[in-house]
Amino acid sequence: MRRLRALLVKEFIQMSRDRVTFAMMVALPVIQLIVFGFAINTDVKHLPTMVFDQSLQQESRDLLSSFESSGYFDIKYIATSYNDVTKAIESGKIKVGIIIPPDFTESTKHGRTAAIQVIVDASDSMSASSAISTAQMIGLLKSQEIIAGKLQVAGIKQVNAPYDIRIRPWYNPDFVSAYYMVPGIIGVILTMTMVMITSMAIVRERERGTLEQLIVTPLKSYELMLGKIIPYIFVGYVQITLALAVGIIIFDIPVRGSLGLLYALASVFIIASLSLGVFISNLAKTQMQAMQMSFFVFLPSILLSGFMFPREAMPLFFYALGNVIPLTFFLEIVRGIVLKGIGMQYLWSQLFALIAFILAVFTASVFKFKKTLG
């Protein structure tokens, strides 16, 4: 027992001296519990919605008020044409478009059924299911409310349903989950491999004693960082190609957009992931710490990027936190190109966000590397 006690004391002392690892062991479960508890929410509300109201009467405003008061639809945009709605859905600005016909009020007043078109972006099957079921329920409840009022009028025995909510799911009308998940898995695979591989690059050089040899060479800091990043860009291209081939052959994923554009924008995401891995490698002292930090980055990337859970259902803080994760923007790119067939005109904001992330993280890596050597 004396020998075992001495060994235990030694291990605890060693653990306390490795403060980074100890802090991550304590902080990681707490942070993950908070993120899991707040960010994972399958009850999708506050879906960004655009309305094209051609009636502009009190009856249509009452119906739209019911949509908004449900908490599931946030009417953020007013369209002036049907084309405005289609463009907003294609760009990802909205998830739902509500089109009210010009004869809406006249139809309801004369006992005819008024058709309301609800266009839903079904590329996100979870958000689409929530929007569809809620829209149908609102139409049913409002119809029953009007019918109940008219039945009280003397002589009226039967009334047609006032509202006919016609759902139009776009991009994935059959709600095939593989269409939504497989493109996202491409981004997850790239994040996992690119970050983890490069996070150990400088740490491995330091542990093997070869970092000093690199220091005495004429290489500048940014050249060393680039040398750790560029070779893995080709590895990322191989992974994308294999993942797309499996998705098309096995899961019959429709590729509606340009593969050339996808590959071009994927290179920016690959560089962003590799830059993040190099930054972690500059922070970590050992390969074990680098792996733990990579895991710490990997889980929030999956949970907060919209890969599995709709970002619209997240609290504002976690929604904003997802805006600093490269995977968030790549998922919008890959799903937009593969499922919607959109072009570059809708992807500039995602591209600029990834470029800004690369510049910030790569610059921090260069300065951190200089500081470490000093």
Side-chain angles (χ1 to χ4, degrees):
M1 290 298 296
R2 193 182 310 118
R3 293 192 298 270
L4 179 60
R5 190 184 307 115
L7 179 61
L8 291 175
V9 171
K10 175 258 182 188
E11 290 296 328
F12 278 111
I13 292 174
Q14 186 174 345
M15 185 186 303
S16 64
R17 288 176 177 172
D18 189 358
R19 296 183 179 180
V20 175
T21 302
F22 184 74
M24 292 192 66
M25 290 170 57
V26 174
L28 191 62
V30 177
I31 295 174
Q32 288 179 357
L33 183 62
I34 294 173
V35 173
F36 279 36
F38 283 103
I40 299 177
N41 186 2
T42 56
D43 186 18
V44 186
K45 292 186 176 182
H46 305 291
L47 294 170
T49 304
M50 177 178 281
V51 171
F52 179 31
D53 185 1
Q54 302 171 79
S55 175
L56 299 175
Q57 299 294 322
Q58 184 61 43
E59 288 77 8
S60 63
R61 287 193 288 268
D62 289 342
L63 178 62
L64 294 175
S65 177
S66 298
F67 273 91
E68 194 160 28
S69 61
S70 69
Y72 286 84
F73 304 92
D74 283 356
I75 299 177
K76 296 184 175 182
Y77 308 97
I78 303 298
T80 57
S81 67
Y82 186 85
N83 194 40
D84 290 345
V85 179
T86 59
K87 286 183 177 180
I89 292 181
E90 287 176 357
S91 65
K93 183 190 297 185
I94 63 170
K95 294 292 185 181
V96 181
I98 301 174
I99 293 95
I100 297 178
D103 61 345
F104 176 81
T105 300
E106 183 180 352
S107 297
T108 54
K109 285 183 176 180
H110 291 82
R112 298 192 300 268
T113 300
I116 302 97
Q117 189 177 34
V118 177
I119 302 174
V120 180
D121 181 358
S123 60
D124 183 347
S125 55
M126 191 176 295
S127 298
S129 299
S130 177
I132 290 172
S133 59
T134 305
Q136 291 174 334
M137 183 59 66
I138 290 172
L140 178 62
L141 291 176
K142 291 295 291 182
S143 294
Q144 290 176 345
E145 179 184 320
I146 293 175
I147 290 173
K150 288 188 175 182
L151 286 177
Q152 295 177 0
V153 179
I156 297 181
K157 301 297 182 182
Q158 185 177 357
V159 179
N160 294 325
Y163 299 145
D164 177 19
I165 305 295
R166 298 183 180 180
I167 307 295
R168 297 291 183 268
W170 283 8
Y171 311 121
N172 187 11
D174 296 326
F175 293 94
V176 181
S177 58
Y179 289 4
Y180 178 70
M181 295 300 295
V182 171
I185 291 173
I186 296 175
V188 171
I189 292 172
L190 289 173
T191 299
M192 179 173 61
T193 55
M194 297 294 102
V195 173
M196 191 167 292
I197 289 173
T198 51
S199 67
M200 300 183 186
I202 295 175
V203 179
R204 185 167 52 246
E205 298 278 5
R206 185 181 292 115
E207 289 185 347
R208 291 177 178 177
T210 56
L211 185 61
E212 290 79 4
Q213 299 175 13
L214 291 174
I215 294 172
V216 298
T217 64
L219 281 171
K220 293 181 170 57
S221 298
Y222 71 88
E223 292 173 337
L224 180 58
M225 299 297 108
L226 288 175
K228 295 295 182 182
I229 289 174
I230 293 175
Y232 295 106
I233 296 176
F234 300 100
V235 177
Y237 273 126
V238 172
Q239 290 183 329
I240 291 177
T241 303
L242 291 175
L244 280 175
V246 170
I248 294 170
I249 296 171
I250 297 179
F251 297 100
D252 197 26
I253 302 298
V255 180
R256 299 189 173 101
S258 169
L259 281 177
L261 178 61
L262 177 59
Y263 273 81
L265 296 179
S267 64
V268 184
F269 171 69
I270 292 171
I271 296 172
S273 300
L274 293 173
S275 300
L276 179 58
V278 170
F279 180 68
I280 292 173
S281 188
N282 277 285
L283 294 177
K285 303 296 184 183
T286 65
Q287 292 191 57
M288 180 60 71
Q289 287 182 6
M291 186 175 296
Q292 289 173 334
M293 290 181 184
S294 300
F295 184 72
F296 184 76
V297 168
F298 181 59
L299 273 180
S301 295
I302 292 180
L303 295 175
L304 303 180
S305 64
F307 167 66
M308 294 182 64
F309 306 101
R311 298 185 68 230
E312 290 79 13
M314 298 178 186
L316 183 60
F317 173 77
F318 292 99
Y319 184 89
L321 190 60
N323 287 330
V324 299
I325 296 175
L327 183 59
T328 301
F329 304 103
F330 183 69
L331 290 180
E332 295 175 359
I333 291 171
V334 67
R335 285 171 175 162
I337 293 175
V338 172
L339 298 179
K340 299 181 180 180
I342 62 177
M344 192 62 219
Q345 68 270 27
Y346 296 124
L347 299 174
W348 285 110
S349 61
Q350 291 84 349
L351 175 60
F352 289 146
L354 290 174
I355 292 175
F357 181 88
I358 292 170
L359 293 175
V361 175
F362 186 80
T363 303
S365 299
V366 172
F367 280 103
K368 177 63 179 175
F369 183 67
K370 286 182 178 179
K371 183 179 179 181
T372 303
L373 293 180

